[in-house]
Amino acid sequence: MAEKEQEHYVVTFARGFGTGGKEIASKLAKELGIHCYENRILTLASQMTGLDEELFREVDEKIRNKGGFSSFLKGLPKAKSYIARNEKFVSDDKLFEYQSKIIQNLAETESCVIVGKCADYVLRGNPRVVSVYIEAPRAFCLKRTMEKMGVTAEVAAATITQTDKFRADYYEYYTGGNYWTNPVNYDLTLNSEKVGIEGCVEMVKHLLKVKDLI
């Protein structure tokens, strides 16, 4: 799908663990013909936290050259998940600062989907951003997690609890006390069990059309 009049738009996703939010984000990006960014943003931001100004200038230049940033990211090693499922959240302000700069530059230079990273908060006030939150009943998330990870119900339950706690603490810290699951934070909140993975994708596409972004 071609971008409307070459104007950029961004869809941000926040999601509970096991809801299928990442899958929805990836499918949406594929159908829209745009990139979906998640952990490689963190890899790049991690490298930048060493205050390597030369690296930052190089990345900034590539971001602003159409198509360059995506190619640059493809050359990076895949990041390990930033969620330490068996650890408590520990803040890293410098990492978040660089990560936010990358997200803001992406929003200025291309249409894309961004998963997590408080992207809805980082891009707040931007009229060309649609923010989505995906949630689902615990039983649904438990079943998906067991199937996807190949683990027992006990391990799946602990993973969901710990990961969602991490995400909530992360969001609260970097947004200055905002609550991660508060529907007021988002343009659209969807129950992936009731709506379905494909249904969620279609609902987000419909909202983009309603907002005259595509």
Side-chain angles (χ1 to χ4, degrees), residues 28-150:
L28 176 70
K30 184 175 181 180
E31 292 189 19
L32 293 174
I34 59 180
H35 295 111
C36 182
Y37 295 107
E38 191 195 13
N39 281 342
R40 290 191 178 185
I41 288 178
L42 191 74
T43 302
L44 185 55
S46 296
Q47 294 175 355
M48 287 180 175
T49 57
L51 299 179
D52 187 334
E53 296 300 328
E54 182 177 347
L55 173 62
F56 183 79
R57 285 195 297 271
E58 178 186 359
V59 170
D60 192 58
E61 180 181 349
K62 287 181 180 295
I63 288 175
R64 296 182 186 283
N65 290 333
K66 188 173 182 180
F69 187 57
S70 177
S71 298
F72 184 81
L73 283 181
K74 288 178 181 177
L76 293 173
K78 289 187 178 181
K80 294 180 179 178
S81 175
Y82 74 96
I83 295 169
R85 298 189 181 103
N86 60 347
E87 297 178 10
K88 293 183 178 180
F89 165 69
V90 177
S91 64
D92 187 333
D93 292 347
K94 183 59 66 174
L95 180 61
F96 187 76
E97 176 188 340
Y98 277 94
Q99 176 179 288
S100 297
K101 288 180 181 179
I102 294 168
I103 289 171
Q104 289 163 349
N105 283 351
L106 283 172
E108 292 173 3
T109 55
E110 68 171 279
S111 294
C112 59
V113 172
I114 302 175
V115 181
K117 312 294 183 286
C118 294
D120 62 286
Y121 179 78
V122 172
L123 299 176
R124 66 193 183 283
N126 186 329
R128 300 192 64 78
V129 174
V130 167
S131 56
V132 181
Y133 178 72
I134 305 294
E135 193 51 283
R138 181 62 170 239
F140 176 82
C141 297
L142 191 64
K143 184 174 183 292
R144 278 185 59 91
T145 300
M146 290 171 65
E147 292 173 350
K148 295 286 185 180
M149 296 179 64

Side-chain angles (χ1 to χ4, degrees), residues 11-17 19 21 24 120 130-136 164 167-168 171 179-192 200 204:
V11 183
T12 70
F13 276 87
R15 76 284 186 219
F17 193 87
T19 63
I24 293 165
D120 62 286
V130 167
S131 56
V132 181
Y133 178 72
I134 305 294
E135 193 51 283
D164 283 354
R167 290 175 178 175
Y171 194 90
Y179 190 50
W180 173 52
T181 58
N182 185 351
V184 175
N185 298 338
Y186 309 101
D187 296 302
L188 183 66
T189 299
L190 293 169
N191 181 326
S192 55
C200 288
V204 178

